[in-house]
Amino acid sequence: TRVIFSVARKGQQNNPPLGQKITYTDVIANEDQGMDHNKTVFDVPVSGIYSFSFSALTEKNGKNGNNYILVEVFNNNGYQFSINSNPQDPLQSYENLSFSWLMSLSEDDKIYLRMNGEGKTLHVKDQFPVVFNGYLLMAN
């Protein structure tokens, strides 16, 4: 069984709102149709071990002067962990944010990413997409 998805969020001034699920504008691949039609939630079609990756560019400045960023990973059981950055450089600048991870998941589990309610958001333009990928490594 092949399960592969890749989605991207593109567009001028299309930064995801703080405190909201990240949605995507483009489906690059959706083998076995695990990514929902709203391009927000990956609905696990086959139980097994999955590999995920996320990459984006952060905004320069955060809300209320907070320059950290938290992209939160959720599943059916709620919050799992954060993809984060807290730069020590006092100069405010864009940062590359990239992370990959493995998860053991059951059929019908759901995975989505959400912006934290404070700090920086993601800098999105056509040439700077937010990308979320996943694929089944081994079925149970």
Side-chain angles (χ1 to χ4, degrees):
T1 301
R2 289 181 14 170
V3 180
I4 302 167
F5 77 89
S6 180
V7 289
R9 183 181 179 107
K10 297 180 180 179
Q12 297 301 100
Q13 306 302 318
N14 193 17
N15 300 353
L18 294 173
Q20 301 292 315
K21 286 181 186 175
I22 300 174
T23 59
Y24 306 91
T25 57
D26 296 26
V27 175
I28 299 160
N30 197 13
E31 187 74 29
D32 210 2
Q33 305 303 308
M35 182 55 67
D36 74 344
H37 67 281
N38 293 321
K39 301 178 208 108
T40 305
V41 176
F42 175 64
D43 190 358
V44 176
V46 176
S47 296
I49 298 172
Y50 283 80
S51 175
F52 295 98
S53 64
F54 172 83
S55 65
L57 187 66
T58 69
E59 275 295 353
K60 282 171 104 175
N61 304 311
K63 183 179 178 182
N64 300 325
N66 294 321
N67 286 324
Y68 65 88
I69 187 164
L70 294 174
V71 175
E72 302 167 326
V73 178
F74 284 81
N75 72 5
N76 304 30
N77 299 317
Y79 170 82
Q80 296 301 301
F81 61 90
S82 292
I83 302 165
N84 61 64
S85 174
N86 190 8
Q88 302 303 310
D89 185 351
L91 299 175
Q92 298 168 339
S93 61
Y94 298 103
E95 293 180 85
N96 287 313
L97 186 65
S98 180
F99 195 72
S100 60
W101 68 98
L102 300 177
M103 292 179 93
S104 181
L105 300 168
S106 298
E107 185 176 347
D108 296 325
D109 279 351
K110 296 179 183 345
I111 301 292
Y112 65 91
L113 306 179
R114 185 181 85 177
M115 295 300 305
N116 187 25
E118 296 183 18
K120 288 183 182 182
T121 188
L122 302 173
H123 183 77
V124 181
K125 294 190 175 187
D126 286 340
Q127 67 271 36
F128 302 117
V130 171
V131 179
F132 180 35
N133 302 310
Y135 61 93
L136 177 66
L137 285 173
M138 184 176 68
N140 288 348

